[in-house]
mmCIF file with all atom_site columns, all heavy atoms in Angstrom:
data_model
loop_
_atom_site.group_PDB
_atom_site.id
_atom_site.type_symbol
_atom_site.label_atom_id
_atom_site.label_alt_id
_atom_site.label_comp_id
_atom_site.label_asym_id
_atom_site.label_entity_id
_atom_site.label_seq_id
_atom_site.pdbx_PDB_ins_code
_atom_site.Cartn_x
_atom_site.Cartn_y
_atom_site.Cartn_z
_atom_site.occupancy
_atom_site.B_iso_or_equiv
_atom_site.pdbx_formal_charge
_atom_site.auth_seq_id
_atom_site.auth_comp_id
_atom_site.auth_asym_id
_atom_site.auth_atom_id
_atom_site.pdbx_PDB_model_num
ATOM 1   N N   . ARG A 1 1  ? -229.744 -54.790 -29.418 1.00 97.00 ? 1  ARG A N   1
ATOM 2   C CA  . ARG A 1 1  ? -229.147 -56.097 -29.124 1.00 97.00 ? 1  ARG A CA  1
ATOM 3   C C   . ARG A 1 1  ? -228.997 -56.900 -30.415 1.00 97.00 ? 1  ARG A C   1
ATOM 4   O O   . ARG A 1 1  ? -229.808 -56.757 -31.338 1.00 97.00 ? 1  ARG A O   1
ATOM 5   C CB  . ARG A 1 1  ? -230.026 -56.875 -28.133 1.00 97.00 ? 1  ARG A CB  1
ATOM 6   C CG  . ARG A 1 1  ? -231.447 -57.094 -28.620 1.00 97.00 ? 1  ARG A CG  1
ATOM 7   C CD  . ARG A 1 1  ? -232.377 -57.597 -27.528 1.00 97.00 ? 1  ARG A CD  1
ATOM 8   N NE  . ARG A 1 1  ? -233.760 -57.584 -27.980 1.00 97.00 ? 1  ARG A NE  1
ATOM 9   C CZ  . ARG A 1 1  ? -234.395 -58.651 -28.494 1.00 97.00 ? 1  ARG A CZ  1
ATOM 10  N NH1 . ARG A 1 1  ? -233.758 -59.806 -28.621 1.00 97.00 ? 1  ARG A NH1 1
ATOM 11  N NH2 . ARG A 1 1  ? -235.654 -58.546 -28.881 1.00 97.00 ? 1  ARG A NH2 1
ATOM 12  N N   . PRO A 1 2  ? -227.981 -57.752 -30.480 1.00 97.00 ? 2  PRO A N   1
ATOM 13  C CA  . PRO A 1 2  ? -227.846 -58.614 -31.661 1.00 97.00 ? 2  PRO A CA  1
ATOM 14  C C   . PRO A 1 2  ? -228.842 -59.756 -31.615 1.00 97.00 ? 2  PRO A C   1
ATOM 15  O O   . PRO A 1 2  ? -229.090 -60.340 -30.558 1.00 97.00 ? 2  PRO A O   1
ATOM 16  C CB  . PRO A 1 2  ? -226.406 -59.131 -31.553 1.00 97.00 ? 2  PRO A CB  1
ATOM 17  C CG  . PRO A 1 2  ? -226.083 -59.067 -30.089 1.00 97.00 ? 2  PRO A CG  1
ATOM 18  C CD  . PRO A 1 2  ? -226.849 -57.895 -29.549 1.00 97.00 ? 2  PRO A CD  1
ATOM 19  N N   . LEU A 1 3  ? -229.414 -60.082 -32.768 1.00 97.00 ? 3  LEU A N   1
ATOM 20  C CA  . LEU A 1 3  ? -230.299 -61.233 -32.894 1.00 97.00 ? 3  LEU A CA  1
ATOM 21  C C   . LEU A 1 3  ? -229.560 -62.429 -33.462 1.00 97.00 ? 3  LEU A C   1
ATOM 22  O O   . LEU A 1 3  ? -229.893 -63.573 -33.156 1.00 97.00 ? 3  LEU A O   1
ATOM 23  C CB  . LEU A 1 3  ? -231.503 -60.881 -33.772 1.00 97.00 ? 3  LEU A CB  1
ATOM 24  C CG  . LEU A 1 3  ? -232.448 -59.815 -33.208 1.00 97.00 ? 3  LEU A CG  1
ATOM 25  C CD1 . LEU A 1 3  ? -233.544 -59.493 -34.225 1.00 97.00 ? 3  LEU A CD1 1
ATOM 26  C CD2 . LEU A 1 3  ? -233.066 -60.267 -31.889 1.00 97.00 ? 3  LEU A CD2 1
ATOM 27  N N   . VAL A 1 4  ? -228.577 -62.178 -34.330 1.00 97.00 ? 4  VAL A N   1
ATOM 28  C CA  . VAL A 1 4  ? -227.685 -63.223 -34.833 1.00 97.00 ? 4  VAL A CA  1
ATOM 29  C C   . VAL A 1 4  ? -226.272 -62.677 -34.720 1.00 97.00 ? 4  VAL A C   1
ATOM 30  O O   . VAL A 1 4  ? -225.937 -61.676 -35.351 1.00 97.00 ? 4  VAL A O   1
ATOM 31  C CB  . VAL A 1 4  ? -228.009 -63.599 -36.295 1.00 97.00 ? 4  VAL A CB  1
ATOM 32  C CG1 . VAL A 1 4  ? -227.055 -64.687 -36.788 1.00 97.00 ? 4  VAL A CG1 1
ATOM 33  C CG2 . VAL A 1 4  ? -229.453 -64.068 -36.433 1.00 97.00 ? 4  VAL A CG2 1
ATOM 34  N N   . ARG A 1 5  ? -225.444 -63.347 -33.923 1.00 94.00 ? 5  ARG A N   1
ATOM 35  C CA  . ARG A 1 5  ? -224.129 -62.790 -33.592 1.00 94.00 ? 5  ARG A CA  1
ATOM 36  C C   . ARG A 1 5  ? -223.055 -63.057 -34.642 1.00 94.00 ? 5  ARG A C   1
ATOM 37  O O   . ARG A 1 5  ? -222.019 -62.404 -34.648 1.00 94.00 ? 5  ARG A O   1
ATOM 38  C CB  . ARG A 1 5  ? -223.661 -63.340 -32.235 1.00 94.00 ? 5  ARG A CB  1
ATOM 39  C CG  . ARG A 1 5  ? -224.496 -62.819 -31.072 1.00 94.00 ? 5  ARG A CG  1
ATOM 40  C CD  . ARG A 1 5  ? -224.022 -63.363 -29.738 1.00 94.00 ? 5  ARG A CD  1
ATOM 41  N NE  . ARG A 1 5  ? -224.744 -62.729 -28.633 1.00 94.00 ? 5  ARG A NE  1
ATOM 42  C CZ  . ARG A 1 5  ? -224.378 -61.599 -28.052 1.00 94.00 ? 5  ARG A CZ  1
ATOM 43  N NH1 . ARG A 1 5  ? -223.250 -60.988 -28.453 1.00 94.00 ? 5  ARG A NH1 1
ATOM 44  N NH2 . ARG A 1 5  ? -225.082 -61.072 -27.078 1.00 94.00 ? 5  ARG A NH2 1
ATOM 45  N N   . SER A 1 6  ? -223.272 -64.026 -35.517 1.00 94.00 ? 6  SER A N   1
ATOM 46  C CA  . SER A 1 6  ? -222.277 -64.315 -36.548 1.00 94.00 ? 6  SER A CA  1
ATOM 47  C C   . SER A 1 6  ? -222.197 -63.172 -37.551 1.00 94.00 ? 6  SER A C   1
ATOM 48  O O   . SER A 1 6  ? -223.069 -62.298 -37.590 1.00 94.00 ? 6  SER A O   1
ATOM 49  C CB  . SER A 1 6  ? -222.619 -65.615 -37.265 1.00 94.00 ? 6  SER A CB  1
ATOM 50  O OG  . SER A 1 6  ? -223.916 -65.543 -37.822 1.00 94.00 ? 6  SER A OG  1
ATOM 51  N N   . MET A 1 7  ? -221.153 -63.167 -38.368 1.00 95.00 ? 7  MET A N   1
ATOM 52  C CA  . MET A 1 7  ? -220.924 -62.082 -39.318 1.00 95.00 ? 7  MET A CA  1
ATOM 53  C C   . MET A 1 7  ? -221.205 -62.557 -40.740 1.00 95.00 ? 7  MET A C   1
ATOM 54  O O   . MET A 1 7  ? -220.774 -63.653 -41.127 1.00 95.00 ? 7  MET A O   1
ATOM 55  C CB  . MET A 1 7  ? -219.479 -61.575 -39.213 1.00 95.00 ? 7  MET A CB  1
ATOM 56  C CG  . MET A 1 7  ? -219.187 -60.366 -40.095 1.00 95.00 ? 7  MET A CG  1
ATOM 57  S SD  . MET A 1 7  ? -217.579 -59.602 -39.736 1.00 95.00 ? 7  MET A SD  1
ATOM 58  C CE  . MET A 1 7  ? -216.463 -60.769 -40.515 1.00 95.00 ? 7  MET A CE  1
ATOM 59  N N   . GLY A 1 8  ? -221.919 -61.758 -41.506 1.00 95.00 ? 8  GLY A N   1
ATOM 60  C CA  . GLY A 1 8  ? -222.128 -62.067 -42.909 1.00 95.00 ? 8  GLY A CA  1
ATOM 61  C C   . GLY A 1 8  ? -220.802 -62.068 -43.656 1.00 95.00 ? 8  GLY A C   1
ATOM 62  O O   . GLY A 1 8  ? -219.943 -61.222 -43.392 1.00 95.00 ? 8  GLY A O   1
ATOM 63  N N   . GLN A 1 9  ? -220.627 -62.997 -44.586 1.00 95.00 ? 9  GLN A N   1
ATOM 64  C CA  . GLN A 1 9  ? -219.332 -63.189 -45.234 1.00 95.00 ? 9  GLN A CA  1
ATOM 65  C C   . GLN A 1 9  ? -218.782 -61.907 -45.851 1.00 95.00 ? 9  GLN A C   1
ATOM 66  O O   . GLN A 1 9  ? -217.596 -61.627 -45.750 1.00 95.00 ? 9  GLN A O   1
ATOM 67  C CB  . GLN A 1 9  ? -219.430 -64.277 -46.315 1.00 95.00 ? 9  GLN A CB  1
ATOM 68  C CG  . GLN A 1 9  ? -218.088 -64.558 -46.997 1.00 95.00 ? 9  GLN A CG  1
ATOM 69  C CD  . GLN A 1 9  ? -218.188 -65.639 -48.056 1.00 95.00 ? 9  GLN A CD  1
ATOM 70  O OE1 . GLN A 1 9  ? -219.271 -66.163 -48.334 1.00 95.00 ? 9  GLN A OE1 1
ATOM 71  N NE2 . GLN A 1 9  ? -217.068 -65.979 -48.666 1.00 95.00 ? 9  GLN A NE2 1
ATOM 72  N N   . HIS A 1 10 ? -219.637 -61.129 -46.496 1.00 97.00 ? 10 HIS A N   1
ATOM 73  C CA  . HIS A 1 10 ? -219.175 -59.947 -47.219 1.00 97.00 ? 10 HIS A CA  1
ATOM 74  C C   . HIS A 1 10 ? -219.683 -58.635 -46.622 1.00 97.00 ? 10 HIS A C   1
ATOM 75  O O   . HIS A 1 10 ? -219.558 -57.584 -47.248 1.00 97.00 ? 10 HIS A O   1
ATOM 76  C CB  . HIS A 1 10 ? -219.595 -60.038 -48.689 1.00 97.00 ? 10 HIS A CB  1
ATOM 77  C CG  . HIS A 1 10 ? -218.990 -61.201 -49.419 1.00 97.00 ? 10 HIS A CG  1
ATOM 78  N ND1 . HIS A 1 10 ? -219.699 -61.976 -50.302 1.00 97.00 ? 10 HIS A ND1 1
ATOM 79  C CD2 . HIS A 1 10 ? -217.744 -61.729 -49.369 1.00 97.00 ? 10 HIS A CD2 1
ATOM 80  C CE1 . HIS A 1 10 ? -218.921 -62.928 -50.776 1.00 97.00 ? 10 HIS A CE1 1
ATOM 81  N NE2 . HIS A 1 10 ? -217.735 -62.806 -50.234 1.00 97.00 ? 10 HIS A NE2 1
ATOM 82  N N   . ASP A 1 11 ? -220.255 -58.672 -45.407 1.00 98.00 ? 11 ASP A N   1
ATOM 83  C CA  . ASP A 1 11 ? -220.812 -57.452 -44.817 1.00 98.00 ? 11 ASP A CA  1
ATOM 84  C C   . ASP A 1 11 ? -219.767 -56.339 -44.660 1.00 98.00 ? 11 ASP A C   1
ATOM 85  O O   . ASP A 1 11 ? -220.043 -55.173 -44.997 1.00 98.00 ? 11 ASP A O   1
ATOM 86  C CB  . ASP A 1 11 ? -221.472 -57.751 -43.472 1.00 98.00 ? 11 ASP A CB  1
ATOM 87  C CG  . ASP A 1 11 ? -222.892 -58.290 -43.639 1.00 98.00 ? 11 ASP A CG  1
ATOM 88  O OD1 . ASP A 1 11 ? -223.303 -58.502 -44.803 1.00 98.00 ? 11 ASP A OD1 1
ATOM 89  O OD2 . ASP A 1 11 ? -223.582 -58.502 -42.627 1.00 98.00 ? 11 ASP A OD2 1
ATOM 90  N N   . PRO A 1 12 ? -218.545 -56.623 -44.160 1.00 98.00 ? 12 PRO A N   1
ATOM 91  C CA  . PRO A 1 12 ? -217.560 -55.537 -44.056 1.00 98.00 ? 12 PRO A CA  1
ATOM 92  C C   . PRO A 1 12 ? -217.205 -54.939 -45.413 1.00 98.00 ? 12 PRO A C   1
ATOM 93  O O   . PRO A 1 12 ? -217.012 -53.724 -45.532 1.00 98.00 ? 12 PRO A O   1
ATOM 94  C CB  . PRO A 1 12 ? -216.347 -56.222 -43.417 1.00 98.00 ? 12 PRO A CB  1
ATOM 95  C CG  . PRO A 1 12 ? -216.911 -57.385 -42.678 1.00 98.00 ? 12 PRO A CG  1
ATOM 96  C CD  . PRO A 1 12 ? -218.043 -57.868 -43.536 1.00 98.00 ? 12 PRO A CD  1
ATOM 97  N N   . LEU A 1 13 ? -217.115 -55.785 -46.445 1.00 98.00 ? 13 LEU A N   1
ATOM 98  C CA  . LEU A 1 13 ? -216.839 -55.294 -47.795 1.00 98.00 ? 13 LEU A CA  1
ATOM 99  C C   . LEU A 1 13 ? -217.962 -54.389 -48.268 1.00 98.00 ? 13 LEU A C   1
ATOM 100 O O   . LEU A 1 13 ? -217.709 -53.307 -48.821 1.00 98.00 ? 13 LEU A O   1
ATOM 101 C CB  . LEU A 1 13 ? -216.662 -56.465 -48.755 1.00 98.00 ? 13 LEU A CB  1
ATOM 102 C CG  . LEU A 1 13 ? -216.536 -56.102 -50.241 1.00 98.00 ? 13 LEU A CG  1
ATOM 103 C CD1 . LEU A 1 13 ? -215.239 -55.343 -50.513 1.00 98.00 ? 13 LEU A CD1 1
ATOM 104 C CD2 . LEU A 1 13 ? -216.614 -57.362 -51.108 1.00 98.00 ? 13 LEU A CD2 1
ATOM 105 N N   . ASP A 1 14 ? -219.210 -54.813 -48.050 1.00 98.00 ? 14 ASP A N   1
ATOM 106 C CA  . ASP A 1 14 ? -220.354 -53.978 -48.436 1.00 98.00 ? 14 ASP A CA  1
ATOM 107 C C   . ASP A 1 14 ? -220.301 -52.629 -47.718 1.00 98.00 ? 14 ASP A C   1
ATOM 108 O O   . ASP A 1 14 ? -220.596 -51.583 -48.308 1.00 98.00 ? 14 ASP A O   1
ATOM 109 C CB  . ASP A 1 14 ? -221.671 -54.678 -48.096 1.00 98.00 ? 14 ASP A CB  1
ATOM 110 C CG  . ASP A 1 14 ? -221.991 -55.819 -49.044 1.00 98.00 ? 14 ASP A CG  1
ATOM 111 O OD1 . ASP A 1 14 ? -221.385 -55.870 -50.131 1.00 98.00 ? 14 ASP A OD1 1
ATOM 112 O OD2 . ASP A 1 14 ? -222.847 -56.650 -48.703 1.00 98.00 ? 14 ASP A OD2 1
ATOM 113 N N   . GLY A 1 15 ? -219.953 -52.665 -46.427 1.00 98.00 ? 15 GLY A N   1
ATOM 114 C CA  . GLY A 1 15 ? -219.853 -51.424 -45.677 1.00 98.00 ? 15 GLY A CA  1
ATOM 115 C C   . GLY A 1 15 ? -218.760 -50.524 -46.194 1.00 98.00 ? 15 GLY A C   1
ATOM 116 O O   . GLY A 1 15 ? -218.930 -49.297 -46.306 1.00 98.00 ? 15 GLY A O   1
ATOM 117 N N   . TYR A 1 16 ? -217.627 -51.119 -46.548 1.00 98.00 ? 16 TYR A N   1
ATOM 118 C CA  . TYR A 1 16 ? -216.486 -50.349 -47.057 1.00 98.00 ? 16 TYR A CA  1
ATOM 119 C C   . TYR A 1 16 ? -216.831 -49.679 -48.386 1.00 98.00 ? 16 TYR A C   1
ATOM 120 O O   . TYR A 1 16 ? -216.614 -48.470 -48.553 1.00 98.00 ? 16 TYR A O   1
ATOM 121 C CB  . TYR A 1 16 ? -215.283 -51.271 -47.220 1.00 98.00 ? 16 TYR A CB  1
ATOM 122 C CG  . TYR A 1 16 ? -214.076 -50.599 -47.820 1.00 98.00 ? 16 TYR A CG  1
ATOM 123 C CD1 . TYR A 1 16 ? -213.299 -49.726 -47.073 1.00 98.00 ? 16 TYR A CD1 1
ATOM 124 C CD2 . TYR A 1 16 ? -213.715 -50.828 -49.148 1.00 98.00 ? 16 TYR A CD2 1
ATOM 125 C CE1 . TYR A 1 16 ? -212.190 -49.093 -47.624 1.00 98.00 ? 16 TYR A CE1 1
ATOM 126 C CE2 . TYR A 1 16 ? -212.614 -50.201 -49.704 1.00 98.00 ? 16 TYR A CE2 1
ATOM 127 C CZ  . TYR A 1 16 ? -211.859 -49.338 -48.943 1.00 98.00 ? 16 TYR A CZ  1
ATOM 128 O OH  . TYR A 1 16 ? -210.769 -48.704 -49.491 1.00 98.00 ? 16 TYR A OH  1
ATOM 129 N N   . VAL A 1 17 ? -217.360 -50.445 -49.317 1.00 98.00 ? 17 VAL A N   1
ATOM 130 C CA  . VAL A 1 17 ? -217.671 -49.891 -50.641 1.00 98.00 ? 17 VAL A CA  1
ATOM 131 C C   . VAL A 1 17 ? -218.793 -48.862 -50.542 1.00 98.00 ? 17 VAL A C   1
ATOM 132 O O   . VAL A 1 17 ? -218.729 -47.793 -51.162 1.00 98.00 ? 17 VAL A O   1
ATOM 133 C CB  . VAL A 1 17 ? -218.037 -51.019 -51.623 1.00 98.00 ? 17 VAL A CB  1
ATOM 134 C CG1 . VAL A 1 17 ? -218.457 -50.438 -52.983 1.00 98.00 ? 17 VAL A CG1 1
ATOM 135 C CG2 . VAL A 1 17 ? -216.868 -51.977 -51.808 1.00 98.00 ? 17 VAL A CG2 1
ATOM 136 N N   . SER A 1 18 ? -219.816 -49.153 -49.736 1.00 98.00 ? 18 SER A N   1
ATOM 137 C CA  . SER A 1 18 ? -220.930 -48.209 -49.584 1.00 98.00 ? 18 SER A CA  1
ATOM 138 C C   . SER A 1 18 ? -220.463 -46.911 -48.945 1.00 98.00 ? 18 SER A C   1
ATOM 139 O O   . SER A 1 18 ? -220.884 -45.824 -49.348 1.00 98.00 ? 18 SER A O   1
ATOM 140 C CB  . SER A 1 18 ? -222.041 -48.841 -48.739 1.00 98.00 ? 18 SER A CB  1
ATOM 141 O OG  . SER A 1 18 ? -222.569 -49.987 -49.366 1.00 98.00 ? 18 SER A OG  1
ATOM 142 N N   . GLY A 1 19 ? -219.575 -47.016 -47.943 1.00 98.00 ? 19 GLY A N   1
ATOM 143 C CA  . GLY A 1 19 ? -219.048 -45.814 -47.301 1.00 98.00 ? 19 GLY A CA  1
ATOM 144 C C   . GLY A 1 19 ? -218.280 -44.945 -48.278 1.00 98.00 ? 19 GLY A C   1
ATOM 145 O O   . GLY A 1 19 ? -218.442 -43.715 -48.299 1.00 98.00 ? 19 GLY A O   1
ATOM 146 N N   . ARG A 1 20 ? -217.449 -45.578 -49.101 1.00 98.00 ? 20 ARG A N   1
ATOM 147 C CA  . ARG A 1 20 ? -216.690 -44.805 -50.093 1.00 98.00 ? 20 ARG A CA  1
ATOM 148 C C   . ARG A 1 20 ? -217.605 -44.202 -51.154 1.00 98.00 ? 20 ARG A C   1
ATOM 149 O O   . ARG A 1 20 ? -217.369 -43.085 -51.634 1.00 98.00 ? 20 ARG A O   1
ATOM 150 C CB  . ARG A 1 20 ? -215.626 -45.693 -50.736 1.00 98.00 ? 20 ARG A CB  1
ATOM 151 C CG  . ARG A 1 20 ? -214.390 -45.897 -49.854 1.00 98.00 ? 20 ARG A CG  1
ATOM 152 C CD  . ARG A 1 20 ? -213.332 -46.739 -50.504 1.00 98.00 ? 20 ARG A CD  1
ATOM 153 N NE  . ARG A 1 20 ? -212.879 -46.212 -51.792 1.00 98.00 ? 20 ARG A NE  1
ATOM 154 C CZ  . ARG A 1 20 ? -211.968 -46.819 -52.558 1.00 98.00 ? 20 ARG A CZ  1
ATOM 155 N NH1 . ARG A 1 20 ? -211.413 -47.959 -52.150 1.00 98.00 ? 20 ARG A NH1 1
ATOM 156 N NH2 . ARG A 1 20 ? -211.613 -46.298 -53.708 1.00 98.00 ? 20 ARG A NH2 1
ATOM 157 N N   . GLU A 1 21 ? -218.652 -44.936 -51.530 1.00 98.00 ? 21 GLU A N   1
ATOM 158 C CA  . GLU A 1 21 ? -219.603 -44.405 -52.515 1.00 98.00 ? 21 GLU A CA  1
ATOM 159 C C   . GLU A 1 21 ? -220.274 -43.144 -51.987 1.00 98.00 ? 21 GLU A C   1
ATOM 160 O O   . GLU A 1 21 ? -220.373 -42.126 -52.690 1.00 98.00 ? 21 GLU A O   1
ATOM 161 C CB  . GLU A 1 21 ? -220.652 -45.466 -52.836 1.00 98.00 ? 21 GLU A CB  1
ATOM 162 C CG  . GLU A 1 21 ? -221.765 -44.980 -53.749 1.00 98.00 ? 21 GLU A CG  1
ATOM 163 C CD  . GLU A 1 21 ? -222.883 -45.991 -53.925 1.00 98.00 ? 21 GLU A CD  1
ATOM 164 O OE1 . GLU A 1 21 ? -222.650 -47.200 -53.697 1.00 98.00 ? 21 GLU A OE1 1
ATOM 165 O OE2 . GLU A 1 21 ? -223.999 -45.568 -54.282 1.00 98.00 ? 21 GLU A OE2 1
ATOM 166 N N   . ILE A 1 22 ? -220.759 -43.200 -50.738 1.00 98.00 ? 22 ILE A N   1
ATOM 167 C CA  . ILE A 1 22 ? -221.436 -42.044 -50.149 1.00 98.00 ? 22 ILE A CA  1
ATOM 168 C C   . ILE A 1 22 ? -220.449 -40.896 -49.963 1.00 98.00 ? 22 ILE A C   1
ATOM 169 O O   . ILE A 1 22 ? -220.768 -39.732 -50.243 1.00 98.00 ? 22 ILE A O   1
ATOM 170 C CB  . ILE A 1 22 ? -222.086 -42.443 -48.812 1.00 98.00 ? 22 ILE A CB  1
ATOM 171 C CG1 . ILE A 1 22 ? -223.200 -43.457 -49.053 1.00 98.00 ? 22 ILE A CG1 1
ATOM 172 C CG2 . ILE A 1 22 ? -222.628 -41.217 -48.086 1.00 98.00 ? 22 ILE A CG2 1
ATOM 173 C CD1 . ILE A 1 22 ? -223.706 -44.120 -47.793 1.00 98.00 ? 22 ILE A CD1 1
ATOM 174 N N   . GLU A 1 23 ? -219.255 -41.212 -49.490 1.00 97.00 ? 23 GLU A N   1
ATOM 175 C CA  . GLU A 1 23 ? -218.230 -40.192 -49.282 1.00 97.00 ? 23 GLU A CA  1
ATOM 176 C C   . GLU A 1 23 ? -217.914 -39.468 -50.589 1.00 97.00 ? 23 GLU A C   1
ATOM 177 O O   . GLU A 1 23 ? -217.763 -38.238 -50.621 1.00 97.00 ? 23 GLU A O   1
ATOM 178 C CB  . GLU A 1 23 ? -216.976 -40.856 -48.721 1.00 97.00 ? 23 GLU A CB  1
ATOM 179 C CG  . GLU A 1 23 ? -215.889 -39.912 -48.258 1.00 97.00 ? 23 GLU A CG  1
ATOM 180 C CD  . GLU A 1 23 ? -214.698 -40.674 -47.717 1.00 97.00 ? 23 GLU A CD  1
ATOM 181 O OE1 . GLU A 1 23 ? -214.075 -41.449 -48.488 1.00 97.00 ? 23 GLU A OE1 1
ATOM 182 O OE2 . GLU A 1 23 ? -214.386 -40.512 -46.534 1.00 97.00 ? 23 GLU A OE2 1
ATOM 183 N N   . ALA A 1 24 ? -217.824 -40.225 -51.689 1.00 96.00 ? 24 ALA A N   1
ATOM 184 C CA  . ALA A 1 24 ? -217.560 -39.611 -52.992 1.00 96.00 ? 24 ALA A CA  1
ATOM 185 C C   . ALA A 1 24 ? -218.718 -38.712 -53.412 1.00 96.00 ? 24 ALA A C   1
ATOM 186 O O   . ALA A 1 24 ? -218.517 -37.633 -53.982 1.00 96.00 ? 24 ALA A O   1
ATOM 187 C CB  . ALA A 1 24 ? -217.324 -40.694 -54.039 1.00 96.00 ? 24 ALA A CB  1
ATOM 188 N N   . ALA A 1 25 ? -219.947 -39.142 -53.115 1.00 97.00 ? 25 ALA A N   1
ATOM 189 C CA  . ALA A 1 25 ? -221.121 -38.341 -53.488 1.00 97.00 ? 25 ALA A CA  1
ATOM 190 C C   . ALA A 1 25 ? -221.192 -37.045 -52.689 1.00 97.00 ? 25 ALA A C   1
ATOM 191 O O   . ALA A 1 25 ? -221.744 -36.051 -53.176 1.00 97.00 ? 25 ALA A O   1
ATOM 192 C CB  . ALA A 1 25 ? -222.393 -39.160 -53.293 1.00 97.00 ? 25 ALA A CB  1
ATOM 193 N N   . TYR A 1 26 ? -220.649 -37.050 -51.476 1.00 97.00 ? 26 TYR A N   1
ATOM 194 C CA  . TYR A 1 26 ? -220.633 -35.818 -50.674 1.00 97.00 ? 26 TYR A CA  1
ATOM 195 C C   . TYR A 1 26 ? -219.990 -34.659 -51.432 1.00 97.00 ? 26 TYR A C   1
ATOM 196 O O   . TYR A 1 26 ? -220.370 -33.496 -51.240 1.00 97.00 ? 26 TYR A O   1
ATOM 197 C CB  . TYR A 1 26 ? -219.835 -36.039 -49.389 1.00 97.00 ? 26 TYR A CB  1
ATOM 198 C CG  . TYR A 1 26 ? -220.554 -36.744 -48.251 1.00 97.00 ? 26 TYR A CG  1
ATOM 199 C CD1 . TYR A 1 26 ? -219.855 -37.119 -47.102 1.00 97.00 ? 26 TYR A CD1 1
ATOM 200 C CD2 . TYR A 1 26 ? -221.914 -37.030 -48.307 1.00 97.00 ? 26 TYR A CD2 1
ATOM 201 C CE1 . TYR A 1 26 ? -220.483 -37.757 -46.042 1.00 97.00 ? 26 TYR A CE1 1
ATOM 202 C CE2 . TYR A 1 26 ? -222.553 -37.681 -47.254 1.00 97.00 ? 26 TYR A CE2 1
ATOM 203 C CZ  . TYR A 1 26 ? -221.828 -38.045 -46.122 1.00 97.00 ? 26 TYR A CZ  1
ATOM 204 O OH  . TYR A 1 26 ? -222.446 -38.668 -45.067 1.00 97.00 ? 26 TYR A OH  1
ATOM 205 N N   . THR A 1 27 ? -219.003 -34.960 -52.262 1.00 95.00 ? 27 THR A N   1
ATOM 206 C CA  . THR A 1 27 ? -218.270 -33.890 -52.954 1.00 95.00 ? 27 THR A CA  1
ATOM 207 C C   . THR A 1 27 ? -219.175 -33.125 -53.919 1.00 95.00 ? 27 THR A C   1
ATOM 208 O O   . THR A 1 27 ? -218.854 -31.998 -54.301 1.00 95.00 ? 27 THR A O   1
ATOM 209 C CB  . THR A 1 27 ? -217.072 -34.460 -53.719 1.00 95.00 ? 27 THR A CB  1
ATOM 210 O OG1 . THR A 1 27 ? -217.527 -35.377 -54.727 1.00 95.00 ? 27 THR A OG1 1
ATOM 211 C CG2 . THR A 1 27 ? -216.120 -35.201 -52.776 1.00 95.00 ? 27 THR A CG2 1
#
């Protein structure tokens, strides 16, 4: 369950960059 429903200002950006970083490391 969510404890705080609002969204962090840069959370989607952090997720995007982190996902690409991990994806690149997979190679």
Side-chain angles (χ1 to χ4, degrees):
R1 58 192 171 96
L3 295 176
V4 180
R5 292 180 174 273
S6 57
M7 185 170 76
Q9 182 180 3
H10 297 138
D11 278 4
L13 173 67
D14 286 343
Y16 176 75
V17 176
S18 298
R20 282 182 57 182
E21 175 187 338
I22 295 168
E23 189 180 62
Y26 280 173
T27 62

